[in-house]
Amino acid sequence: MARADIDRGSNLISAIIIVAVFVAVLLLSVAIVYEAMDDAYVSYEGRSYTSYSATNVTGAYINSTGYTVTTNASSCEQDYSVTSAYNITNASDHYLIASGNYTISSSGVVTNASTTTWANVSISYTCKDDTTEDRKLSSTYTETENDISSMVDNFFDLAPTIGTILAVVILIAVIVILIMYVARMRASGSSEGFTG
């Protein structure tokens, strides 16, 4: 076996070891960030919502232009739902409008879903307001930052173990290179010695 072959073999093993270390560090980094983001997401899901409802709001209408529902908390942002709508023909006559005759958008606009319109409607509805405080989200960011710091610290606590594993891998690589060298030396020696 020529010296150049041994050098190529050892260079190949060295390259494989470097790539393995790089991939291991990359995977560890991804795991650290993923774990931190997962913790932050769980904290973020701790958002708080306040439900609001309004009952028998008069002066509403259902037509193609749309009536925007309002509550004493005009900051409702989501989950609008009409619980009932009544057509008011006079002070004592209120007729339920079937729910298939109107829709409510994600921004709280009620429009007709049929060709019929109603000019004087009493409407009841619910909605939700995101009342999560900014400081709660800020603390979530801080928790994420702390999680990442903690995981990096844990990584360096594991560094001796990782170093030991890498040393074993390098030792195995050296043994493999030596076995390859000896096998090629025997192969080249036996082929040169036999003349037939």
Side-chain angles (χ1 to χ4, degrees), residues 14-66:
S14 298
I16 290 171
I17 291 171
I18 290 170
V19 168
V21 169
F22 176 76
V23 168
V25 169
L26 183 64
L27 289 175
L28 184 62
S29 300
V30 168
I32 287 171
V33 171
Y34 177 77
E35 180 67 27
M37 290 299 113
D38 186 48
D39 289 349
Y41 181 72
V42 169
S43 298
Y44 184 75
E45 282 205 321
R47 299 182 72 88
S48 56
Y49 297 93
T50 301
S51 294
Y52 295 100
S53 62
T55 306
N56 297 328
V57 176
T58 56
Y61 49 86
I62 299 177
N63 58 27
S64 60
T65 58

Side-chain angles (χ1 to χ4, degrees), residues 56-57 60 62 82-88 94-99 102 110 118 120-125:
N56 297 328
V57 176
I62 299 177
V82 174
T83 55
S84 66
Y86 290 91
N87 182 29
I88 302 172
H94 299 81
Y95 299 100
L96 181 65
I97 302 169
S99 61
Y102 55 82
V110 180
W118 296 270
N120 191 11
V121 175
S122 168
I123 192 167
S124 300
Y125 54 89

Side-chain angles (χ1 to χ4, degrees), residues 118-153:
W118 296 270
N120 191 11
V121 175
S122 168
I123 192 167
S124 300
Y125 54 89
T126 61
C127 61
K128 284 186 180 178
D129 180 28
D130 183 354
T131 55
T132 307
E133 299 172 14
D134 287 339
R135 64 187 161 89
K136 192 175 209 180
L137 295 179
S138 176
S139 72
T140 299
Y141 174 78
T142 303
E143 289 169 13
T144 303
E145 191 175 35
N146 291 341
D147 287 343
I148 291 174
S149 296
S150 173
M151 281 182 261
V152 168
D153 289 343

